Amino acid sequence: MNMFFRWFGSPKPLIEAASLRDAARLAQIHAASFHRGWGEGEFEAMLAERNTMIHRLRLGRKLIGFIVSRIGADEAEILSVALDPNQRGRGFSRDLLLQHLGHLAGRGVRTVFLEVEENNQPARRLYERAGFATVGRRERYYLQPGGEQLNALLMRRDLS
């Protein structure tokens, strides 16, 4: 019976549009992932914008991650991707990113941009494996809590 539960009883990750009731949990996940987390009010504002697309990642009933993009004409910028620290390293971010890109394409987006901290190797690998290429660099773009300034890479992927 344990073997059956392990194979068939584990919840399958579900990616779906986020809603206003998710704002508090999205803010928690963001705060656990970045030194300057976005607040619940910031997520509520983004969720209310027509040009912003947010997908959540659920495992069973638990919201464990999200991705947010802002769309302008036929371009989009991924503003943030975050996963609960306890759920990282399981391939969930890749699935979330790829499904989100599919939804962006469905909305007529042809080109997607993002910025990533230059030394964030796991994120860079994720984006490169999803077809993003580095197209620029922003010196001292990210300010750390201790005052250190880190470079950002500007990445791009064409969807069409």
Side-chain angles (χ1 to χ4, degrees):
M1 188 67 157
N2 282 342
M3 187 64 123
F4 177 82
F5 182 76
R6 190 172 343 144
W7 287 103
F8 298 103
S10 299
K12 181 179 183 232
L14 180 63
I15 298 165
E16 57 199 358
S19 69
L20 277 173
R21 70 179 178 274
D22 298 320
R25 179 66 180 137
L26 297 174
Q28 284 178 337
I29 293 168
H30 197 272
S33 302
F34 301 98
H35 97 267
R36 197 252 169 277
W38 297 339
E40 184 176 347
E42 289 170 284
F43 276 101
E44 288 171 347
M46 286 187 285
L47 285 160
E49 293 174 1
R50 290 188 55 212
N51 66 331
T52 302
M53 182 182 291
I54 303 178
H55 284 101
R56 66 183 182 188
L57 174 65
R58 282 194 306 120
L59 197 57
R61 293 180 149 186
K62 186 170 176 145
L63 198 161
I64 63 165
F66 70 88
I67 185 169
V68 55
S69 292
R70 186 160 284 138
I71 301 167
D74 64 349
E75 294 182 351
E77 178 183 9
I78 294 176
L79 303 177
S80 190
V81 179
L83 206 61
D84 183 302
N86 298 320
Q87 301 295 335
R88 294 180 186 156
R90 300 173 64 188
F92 294 148
S93 292
R94 181 181 182 278
D95 296 341
L96 181 60
L97 175 61
L98 293 177
Q99 280 199 37
H100 187 75
L101 292 173
H103 285 281
L104 288 172
R107 290 260 310 257
V109 171
R110 299 172 59 123
T111 307
V112 181
F113 295 93
L114 61 86
E115 285 141 356
V116 62
E117 194 266 302
E118 188 173 42
N119 297 326
N120 186 341
Q121 293 303 323
R124 287 181 60 187
R125 272 193 304 276
L126 168 69
Y127 300 134
E128 288 166 359
R129 289 178 180 159
F132 283 84
T134 300
V135 295
R137 187 170 185 230
R138 297 178 196 244
E139 299 291 326
R140 300 179 301 281
Y141 184 77
Y142 293 108
L143 179 63
Q144 298 300 101
E148 181 183 8
Q149 294 178 313
L150 304 175
N151 299 329
L153 298 179
L154 178 60
M155 301 185 84
R156 171 188 173 146
R157 176 176 169 185
D158 293 329
L159 298 180
S160 56

